[in-house]
Amino acid sequence: MKNPLRIAIIGQSNFAADVLELLLEKHYNVVGVFTIPNKGSREDILATTATRYNIPVFKFSTWRRKGVAIPEVLQQYKSVQANLNVLPYCSQFIPMEVIDGASLGSICYHPSILPRHRGASAISWTLIEGDEVAGYSIFWADDGLDTGPILSQKQVQVEPTDTLDSLYKRFLYPEGVKSMAEAVELVALGKAPKIRQTEVGASYDAAMFKEENQYLNLQQTAEGIWNFIRGLDSVPGALVTVEVDKEKGVEENIRLYGAHLYGDKPIGKPRELWLKGLKDPAFVHDKGLLIPGTDGKFVNVRRLKRGSKMINACDWFSMAQAPQITHFTAEEVDKKQILSNIWFSILKCPIESDTDFFAAGAGSMDVVRLVEECKEAFDVPLENEHVFMAPVFEEFFGEIVKCLREGSSAEGGRVHFDGFVMKANKKEISIPTQLFINGEFVEAEQRKTLDIINPTNEELLCRMACASRGDVDKAVKAAHNAFYGAWRQVSPRQRGQIMLKLADLMEQHKEELATIESVDSGAVYTLALKTHVGMSIDAWRYFAGWCDKIQGNTIPVNPARPNNVLTFTKKEPLGVVGLITPWNYPLMMLSWKMAACIAAGNTCLIKPAQTCPLTALKFAELTVKAGFPPGVINIVAGKGSEAGQAILEHPLIRKLGFTGSTEIGKTVMKVCAESNLKKCSLELGGKSPLVIFADCDFEKAVKYGMSSVFFNKGENCIAAGRLFVEDRIHDEFVRRVVKDLRSMVIGDPLQRSTAHGPQNHRAHFEKLIEFCDRGIKDGATLVCGGKPVPNTKGYFFQPTVFTNVEDHMYIAREESFGPIMLISKFHGSDIESVMRRANRSEYGLASGVFTKDISKALAFADNIEAGTVFVNVYNKTDVAAPFGGFKQSGFGKDLGQEALNEYLKTKCVTIEY
């Protein structure tokens, strides 16, 4: 070419602005930019970009009047002396005097594979018509509508998940910008082709910016309905009319978003919703709005727009509104001004409390910009949906504050899951059977499952998702991202508020949780209600109170004069914590560990016992309703050999909290060291001694002596593994225990009169039989029990009493973890010997003594090697009292203030001044 290109850009929007910047980067000479007038005080981004580069800007509301070019407009265009017009996504009608006014012609971008889908709504029609391929064309403008010769075309496969919005963002926009620059280069080189458009397959489609064209034709197949909805998603949205009251003729127009073909049954209890033009009703269910097609198939719609308010389709009838935040901190008020500035930079108009983002002229790309700028400014887990759900400034600010305080609670704290309905205790309880990862219930890899057996009748309860190493890795990464993202934005006091809300929800659902615990683990319902669930609630409330009281110290150190030194410590969370809990108290063990972990500011994943994981999954559902951000709490049910091992070895986990056997505890400690030297706390086996002196309160000693062994059917880590009873009361003590055992009701744990339910699972049940056989073989005297309850289905084991148990016997040394009382006799004058015998065990979890002599009691407390000492009581634990063992019963504490230290690290800061 003899003369360099002189380019005029005619268009608007971010797309045109990006084309302009790319051409300038390639050193092309842009001599003028022609765009639309300001909307209020809001200037189009193309004009703003051109001004930044000192390029002349011209703003015309129209180029023609009554079909004739406006002379003064034409004159201004000619003043820049352009020889090539570039029209990236131009929505105005440009007169031919301008199109042909450039000696090299005019090139246009069009979002379809011409000649198909000529017209302003090409992307929409690509989806509405169900095209398998989408694309764009750059063509030479002529006097037709998108009919000029083709310069270049590119195409892409349409994915089933594509919407107008996604197709534009992932392909038509980014690739289109690059192709516009490539087209200009071909023109500059004189190599730009002009391929005549064929009329074969040509179509001109209606403009979807006209409301009358946005109504969804419901008399078509489900696929046709789906394609129409996604063709208008996210703007402007497909329109349907709801017949709110047929008799009174009350109707309401709504818009539909987030559609997909649906092949499952309705979830939950569907309710009919009549849409105008449908012969059969649509259904609102837990997953959205189901619309039937003429082929009998369904489309599911996730979101609806009523007026300017976006709602979840499943909430059509409930329309439950989350409580509005009315009190803001000074820091939050400052953030409100920052948010107002962001809105102003996008909308270019004064921002008031009732400013509507879309009514002020914002489009889909403005939504993306708003979300990204807010993420950068506030570090909150926002999505585009948040803007549509709360388009008014005051509402949107409330969402920002909510995310800052609690993280994102998508769908209003509602969580969806696959599971089963447990019909028990006069209740119907929906229970998830999936893994809980990043705030969602998901299937395990390869859909692996565990069989969950009801210990009362040995029948299959359900099949539970069984986590793989890959599933554990996903959960760890979700917890890791949450720890460094949304969870960090939640202040300690706000963290406590979320925990209190969770405790309140557990209180509301305590009967459901106790029922699940009873059916799944065999716990007696009344005990499950009071202890398993009751103490769990107490734990969350107790540790919630600690959240804003975790603090370091100022330390007086010796500075080198004349300088001064300030040294202080900070208590900080560790990061991602892995928790592995046992099967005897499924919910309580989860709560003991997790409440302290969360209060300290960590995120976590937990592997509940594979035999009874159901309360943990029901608990997960409540965490969503409480407002925990996704990823803070994750639950991966599975086998210890795979999921448990993956937790121990994962390098992103910084702490492991474990409750289980001493044998497994040793492996846990070893792997924690070998993997990444992760901190660990271990609550392991026990063989707790209980010494009963003759000077005790005998009635009380019998009562607590029995509960020390038979509480929770002996599946109790601090159960008295061996009773030392003074010879003067030995025989009477045994007689009273046996007498009381005869009146103990054994049976269905859901029956209120039941005192003794089934053991947790078959393998443990069979070990108890072996344990008793070993005791008889070694010479101990079996007084009663020692075998399964006859003629009964389920894992019911008879409460058992052995006497004449000697120190060398297997049953005197090893833990039974079942309803087996082992009694040894001692002489009242030989207190030192009985103390030595009590300490001879390698375990040191708990202990107890019954005596009215305070000197004996205190001597026992001083000399016993155990983490807990009960005096004239047993099993009396409290969430404020530290709990943990010595020796091979492990180390570290659950409960009490000391438990927080297990989940914190101390940082020392020294400043010289």
Side-chain angles (χ1 to χ4, degrees), residues 821-849:
M821 179 179 284
L822 308 174
I823 302 175
S824 297
K825 190 186 300 185
F826 73 94
H827 193 276
S829 66
D830 197 7
I831 297 176
E832 289 185 7
S833 293
V834 80
M835 284 300 306
R836 283 196 299 272
R837 294 172 70 190
N839 278 330
R840 197 164 287 152
S841 169
E842 268 300 300
Y843 298 108
L845 187 56
S847 62
V849 61

Side-chain angles (χ1 to χ4, degrees), residues 78-221:
K78 290 180 178 179
S79 70
V80 301
Q81 300 179 9
N83 55 17
L84 176 67
N85 295 328
V86 175
L87 285 69
Y89 242 144
C90 180
S91 65
Q92 295 178 306
F93 288 98
I94 311 301
M96 289 307 299
E97 290 89 339
V98 175
I99 295 295
D100 294 336
S103 59
L104 293 174
S106 301
I107 60 172
C108 300
Y109 172 91
H110 186 74
S112 82
I113 305 173
L114 291 171
R116 188 162 170 78
H117 303 312
R118 294 170 176 166
S121 302
I123 311 176
S124 295
W125 283 101
T126 297
L127 292 167
I128 291 170
E129 293 290 333
D131 293 359
E132 293 183 358
V133 174
Y136 57 82
S137 305
I138 297 172
F139 69 98
W140 298 91
D142 62 7
D143 58 353
L145 188 64
D146 310 331
T147 58
I150 301 298
L151 190 158
S152 68
Q153 291 182 322
K154 285 190 179 179
Q155 63 185 43
V156 70
Q157 197 74 22
V158 176
E159 299 294 336
T161 53
D162 271 327
T163 63
L164 178 149
D165 209 30
S166 69
L167 192 57
Y168 177 63
K169 290 177 186 175
R170 76 178 177 89
F171 181 76
L172 298 176
Y173 186 112
E175 294 301 319
V177 170
K178 289 189 287 186
S179 289
M180 286 298 286
E182 291 167 0
V184 169
E185 188 171 354
L186 288 173
V187 173
L189 295 172
K191 297 181 179 180
K194 292 188 176 181
I195 304 166
R196 183 178 178 182
Q197 283 194 48
T198 176
E199 291 301 310
V200 177
S203 63
Y204 175 75
D205 302 308
M208 300 311 291
F209 55 78
K210 296 180 179 180
E211 187 171 293
E212 62 265 26
N213 296 328
Q214 296 165 8
Y215 282 90
L216 171 61
N217 173 19
L218 294 167
Q219 290 303 307
Q220 56 180 321
T221 64

Side-chain angles (χ1 to χ4, degrees), residues 32 168 234 330 394 396 588 602 612 627 691 721 807 834 865:
Y168 177 63
S234 61
E394 196 68 27
F396 189 77
M588 195 172 80
N602 301 283
C612 47
V691 178
D807 295 355
V834 80
E865 296 171 353

